Amino acid sequence: LTLCAIEGFLSHPRLPDDFLGLNIPRLRYLSLESVSMRWEVVTRTMVVSGLTHLKLENIRWNTVPTIHQIILALEEMPLLEELVIHVGTTSEESLDDPCCQPVTLINLRRVKLHGWMPFMFGLLARMRVPSTALVYLDLTHPGPNPDFSGLSAFFALRLAAHGEEPRIRRLRHC
């Protein structure tokens, strides 16, 4: 199995804890959309260590992993080239411990994050990506005056493949 894509539509079915088995060394592409699950399943090294693409979309609000859980999972994905995370509403609890160590993703070429601004900025603050990586952000915010200070932290803390800061090629706010 090299590709696994599961789409649950509106019912958000719960995936069994063993839906990926215990050892899938050739799994490269994992796409989970509109499903709920125990997040610890995704952090099993034997399941995710070979992933090059991870896509998590329309994650149900009450099963959104914390930032710390996502970072722990990303640490087990050294080959990751593309990361897509699309979450709707999240809770304050999902922001969790601000002290978790950043993860360096040296092979990442593309990151697409869609969701609640504080959650996505918290996630970005704990990711180091190459200067050549394309980062797409589609952020939601509750008020009329969004706080973009999280972007400053993201650009200030990047660890590029050659020790240089990533260049901003295009920044657009709508």
Side-chain angles (χ1 to χ4, degrees):
L1 179 67
T2 59
L3 183 146
C4 178
I6 300 173
E7 188 172 346
F9 298 103
L10 297 177
S11 64
H12 282 84
R14 182 167 174 83
L15 297 175
D17 290 348
D18 62 351
F19 80 98
L20 286 175
L22 296 176
N23 190 5
I24 308 175
R26 291 192 175 107
L27 186 63
R28 299 294 177 255
Y29 182 97
L30 178 61
S31 174
L32 302 173
E33 184 174 350
S34 301
V35 296
S36 64
M37 64 180 181
R38 267 188 351 110
W39 185 250
E40 293 78 16
V41 171
V42 180
T43 61
R44 290 186 188 140
T45 304
M46 291 98 25
V47 174
V48 299
S49 62
L51 283 183
T52 57
H53 295 77
L54 176 63
K55 183 177 175 183
L56 304 169
E57 291 196 275
N58 196 15
I59 302 171
R60 191 175 182 127
W61 70 271
N62 60 351
T63 62
V64 171
T66 65
I67 291 170
H68 184 71
Q69 288 172 315
I70 292 173
I71 295 303
L72 286 176
L74 292 176
E75 287 174 348
E76 302 300 330
M77 302 176 196
L79 304 176
L80 199 64
E81 296 174 8
E82 182 171 12
L83 174 65
V84 177
I85 298 178
H86 180 175
V87 295
T89 306
T90 56
S91 66
E92 292 288 332
E93 291 82 35
S94 65
L95 298 175
D96 72 6
D97 180 14
C99 296
C100 71
Q101 293 297 313
V103 61
T104 300
L105 302 165
I106 61 172
N107 293 308
L108 207 60
R109 296 182 316 190
R110 183 173 300 161
V111 181
K112 293 182 180 182
L113 301 177
H114 173 91
W116 187 47
M117 188 178 288
F119 183 83
M120 293 306 171
F121 283 168
L123 184 57
L124 281 173
R126 291 164 184 85
M127 292 172 54
R128 307 264 195 264
V129 301
S131 62
T132 55
L134 298 175
V135 179
Y136 299 89
L137 302 174
D138 186 359
L139 306 170
T140 58
H141 48 87
N145 298 314
D147 177 10
F148 287 100
S149 60
L151 272 182
S152 302
F154 171 67
F155 291 123
L157 295 174
R158 289 316 92 213
L159 173 65
H162 300 97
E164 61 191 51
E165 293 293 324
R167 296 175 301 279
I168 300 174
R169 293 190 178 111
R170 182 175 32 177
L171 183 61
R172 184 177 76 176
H173 175 262
C174 299

